[in-house]
């Protein structure tokens, strides 16, 4: 298994481009099969999750090819409605294909999805939304069989604003003649990106970014060229890394408005964060301030996908920090690894209490999931001495060229 070797202590300085958003490009790839025309998705990050999604599209009968930073999808023929179990287990986002496969061929068979092991990741909200839209669903032997031949325009209310369930309902609704409404939907910027993509294909979706989305379905969808929005979680990770190590970093393409719940945590810190429409600039002398209480929440709240990374900062912040993980059950697997590096943390259920130490020390640690792995890299960068982060395949599911980008910023990190 690949690992990263890090010699800590360097500050981070320079400019990097923020990748296209993983959590946007995956639903965009799913939506690309809504049309038989060619679709080009630009700014598609080179990530194992994206490669796996493209493999699933090919298994369905579509052509999905990468040319540099763009991915071309041609779903002229969809020859299968079955998402192969081996690929579905690799990628939780395979569940986002349910809506678009149903829209395109009216039936679908999927296995229960995989992805990061961060606690129970049920799909009941997805299935309930689809049922409310008239889809017949049978769950049998670890598979979900769906038939959308009787789907009709509906008023769907989600019990919880699930990102994936919102996206699945939007995707299916594009194929249903008439207006479908989704209430209590997720407000994440990636959902707005999906709306913009569907509209660029000739669809009619409005309300994304608010809790209420309307889809006028049944319109003919055509090919388009579309650029994926910037990855707010990647940008947030480098932002937190600069605070942990000190330095002066410009994140080109990053949008500060997507990270306001994160940036607001540092208003009283001895650092400067400036932003305009297409970049964030941060300079920090590495002096830690206080973080207080941080609770993860659906957007626009503090993102669960930056919880692990801010745990690294909490390890070396002033005083006590309380971090509450509200979205996922077992998303503190990075904490025992941070403890190996000298962090003073106690975890009980979904709450972690940190008492900041002056500095972490290098150690041999193991990534257990994508964001937890990123947290350990940040810890290695600011720690005294050498750190070996193992099992970095998790990290490469979500961070493009992380070693090259950090090296460009002056970090001492290499892959072994
Ligand atoms: C998306 C993101 C993921 C992020 C998460 C929350 C993508 C590809 N992934 O995942 O990075 O961490 O949003 O911001 O966009 N839930 C149910 N039943 C369901 C679906 C979800 O109980 O059917 C629960 C989940 O267990 C979790 C919460 O709802 O507690 C939020 O999950 P959801 O918003 O669906 O996350 P994903 O779309 O899987």
């Amino acid at each position: 298994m690949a690992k990263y070797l890090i010699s800590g202590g360097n500050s981070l300085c320079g400019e990097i481009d923020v990748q296209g958003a993983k959590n946007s490009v995956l639903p965009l790839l799913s939506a690309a099969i809504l049309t038989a025309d060619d679709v080009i998705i630009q700014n598609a990050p080179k990530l194992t999750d994206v490669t796996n999604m493209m493999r699933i599209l090919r298994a369905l009968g579509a052509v999905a090819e990468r040319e540099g930073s763009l991915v071309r999808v041609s779903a002229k023929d969809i020859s299968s409605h079955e998402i192969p179990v081996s690929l579905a287990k690799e990628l939780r986002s395979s569940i986002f294909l349910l809506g678009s496969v149903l829209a395109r061929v009216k039936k679908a068979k999927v296995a229960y999805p995989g992805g990061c092991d961060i606690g129970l990741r049920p799909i009941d909200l997805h299935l309930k939304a689809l049922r409310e839209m008239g889809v017949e669903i049978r769950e049998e032997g670890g598979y979900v069989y769906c038939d959308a031949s009787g789907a009709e325009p509906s008023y769907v209310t989600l019990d919880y604003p699930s990102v994936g369930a919102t996206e699945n309902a939007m995707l299916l609704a594009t194929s249903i003649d008439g207006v479908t409404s989704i209430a209590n939907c997720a407000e994440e910027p990636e959902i707005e990106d999906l709306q913009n993509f569907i509209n660029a294909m000739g669809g009619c979706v409005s309300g994304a970014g608010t809790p209420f989305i309307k889809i006028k379905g049944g319109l003919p969808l055509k090919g388009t060229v579309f650029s994926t929005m910037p990855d707010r979680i990647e940008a947030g990770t480098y932002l937190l890394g600069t605070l942990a190590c000190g330095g002066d970093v410009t994140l080109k393409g990053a949008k500060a408005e997507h990270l306001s719940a994160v940036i607001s945590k540092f208003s009283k810190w001895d650092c400067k964060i400036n932003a305009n429409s297409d970049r964030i600039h941060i300079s920090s002398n590495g002096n830690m301030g206080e973080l207080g209480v941080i609770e993860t929440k659906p957007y626009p709240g503090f993102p669960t996908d930056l919880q692990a990374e801010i745990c690294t900062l909490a390890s070396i912040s002033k005083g006590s920090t309380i971090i509450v993980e509200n979205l996922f059950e077992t998303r503190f697997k990075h904490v025992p690894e941070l403890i190996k590096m000298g962090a003073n943390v106690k975890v009980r259920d979904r709450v972690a209490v940190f008492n900041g130490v002056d500095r972490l020390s290098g150690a041999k640690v193991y990534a257990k999931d994508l964001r937890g792995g990123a947290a350990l890299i940040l810890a290695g960068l600011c720690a005294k001495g050498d750190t070996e982060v193992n099992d970095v395949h998790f990290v490469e599911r979500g961070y493009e060229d992380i070693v090259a980008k950090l090296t460009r910023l002056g970090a001492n990190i290499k892959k072994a």
Side-chain angles (χ1 to χ4, degrees):
M1 291 286 185
K3 57 189 169 191
Y4 295 157
L5 305 176
I6 303 169
S7 278
N10 293 3
S11 53
L12 301 181
C13 293
E15 280 194 355
I16 48 171
D17 289 312
V18 172
Q19 70 188 34
K22 170 180 91 71
N23 287 353
S24 184
V25 75
L26 296 172
L28 296 187
L29 284 167
S30 168
I33 66 165
L34 292 173
T35 175
D37 291 350
D38 284 8
V39 167
I40 292 173
I41 300 174
Q42 299 170 322
N43 200 26
K46 288 188 189 128
L47 303 169
T48 39
D49 270 12
V50 175
T51 310
N52 280 333
M53 190 67 159
M54 290 168 65
R55 286 166 68 200
I56 299 178
L57 294 185
R58 287 196 286 270
L60 294 172
V63 175
E65 300 161 337
R66 179 178 281 284
E67 290 164 30
S69 64
L70 62 84
V71 171
R72 183 187 305 274
V73 178
S74 171
K76 193 144 61 78
D77 301 307
I78 294 292
S79 51
S80 170
H81 64 279
E82 190 172 329
I83 295 156
V85 62
S86 56
L87 295 173
K89 294 284 174 210
E90 288 287 309
L91 181 68
R92 175 174 166 83
S93 310
S94 57
I95 196 68
F96 299 157
L97 278 159
L98 204 49
S100 54
V101 171
L102 285 174
R104 193 62 201 279
V105 290
K106 305 292 170 220
K107 54 182 181 171
K109 177 183 171 191
V110 294
Y112 276 94
C116 273
D117 180 15
I118 52 176
L120 266 184
R121 299 189 81 170
I123 56 169
D124 55 313
L125 297 169
H126 298 247
L127 302 186
K128 181 168 178 275
L130 297 179
R131 279 196 175 102
E132 284 182 25
M133 297 168 80
V135 177
E136 278 183 25
I137 298 175
R138 191 164 49 88
E139 294 169 71
E140 205 176 281
Y143 287 94
V144 183
Y145 299 82
C146 302
D147 179 344
S149 48
E152 49 188 28
S154 338
Y155 187 100
V156 178
T157 305
L158 297 178
D159 295 337
Y160 182 89
S162 153
V163 175
T166 302
E167 291 167 340
N168 256 332
M170 285 167 77
L171 291 166
L172 174 60
T174 60
S175 69
I176 304 173
D177 278 335
V179 176
T180 295
S181 308
I182 314 168
N184 195 30
C185 48
E187 298 172 48
E188 268 69 358
E190 291 76 14
I191 293 179
E192 234 174 309
D193 218 31
L194 179 60
Q195 166 179 285
N196 295 340
F197 181 65
I198 294 170
N199 290 345
M201 293 166 89
C204 183
V205 184
S206 59
T210 77
F212 190 78
I213 295 177
K214 266 190 179 178
I215 305 104
K216 184 167 184 275
L219 302 173
L221 298 182
K222 56 183 188 329
T224 191
V225 178
F226 189 86
S227 186
T228 316
M229 63 173 274
D231 195 312
R232 62 194 166 96
I233 305 300
E234 191 211 23
T237 303
Y238 287 105
L239 192 90
L240 297 179
T242 311
L243 286 162
C245 298
D248 190 293
V249 168
T250 300
L251 300 167
K252 283 164 46 193
K255 295 211 177 294
E257 70 262 32
H258 293 165
L259 284 164
S260 49
V262 180
I263 290 172
S264 65
K265 285 283 157 202
F266 303 102
S267 57
K268 292 191 190 135
W269 278 44
D270 189 9
C271 65
K272 275 208 180 96
I273 302 178
N274 296 314
N276 60 27
S277 59
D278 69 344
R279 62 190 56 214
I280 300 177
H281 172 252
I282 169 158
S283 64
S284 159
N285 53 16
N287 288 344
M288 295 292 133
E290 289 180 21
L291 286 170
V293 179
I294 296 173
E295 281 200 57
T296 64
K297 295 198 176 129
Y299 190 84
F302 193 94
T304 175
D305 287 348
L306 286 173
Q307 178 262 103
E309 297 87 326
I310 206 150
C311 281
T312 299
L313 228 63
S315 303
I316 49 173
S317 289
K318 281 197 181 138
S320 300
T321 305
I322 296 174
I323 298 187
V324 184
E325 172 54 58
N326 285 314
L327 274 82
F328 293 107
E329 283 177 339
T330 53
R331 209 171 192 179
F332 281 127
K333 290 188 175 164
H334 43 283
V335 166
E337 304 302 302
L338 288 173
I339 290 172
K340 287 184 196 164
M341 299 181 73
N344 181 351
V345 200
K346 293 263 179 308
V347 176
R348 192 154 171 196
D349 300 327
R350 294 182 181 217
V351 181
V353 180
F354 290 78
N355 280 303
V357 297
D358 285 344
R359 200 155 177 204
L360 296 172
S361 314
K364 181 173 181 177
V365 289
Y366 290 82
K368 309 282 179 176
D369 57 51
L370 162 58
R371 305 301 171 187
L376 298 177
I377 293 170
L378 300 189
L381 293 174
C382 66
K384 185 166 187 289
D386 295 337
T387 294
E388 181 180 312
V389 183
N390 289 275
D391 294 342
V392 293
H393 58 280
F394 285 114
V395 176
E396 293 174 0
R397 285 189 41 221
Y399 293 90
E400 183 180 63
D401 293 338
I402 188 165
V403 170
K405 284 185 180 181
L406 286 170
T407 304
R408 201 170 316 139
L409 295 179
N412 189 339
I413 177 170
K414 61 176 192 259
K415 187 169 178 176

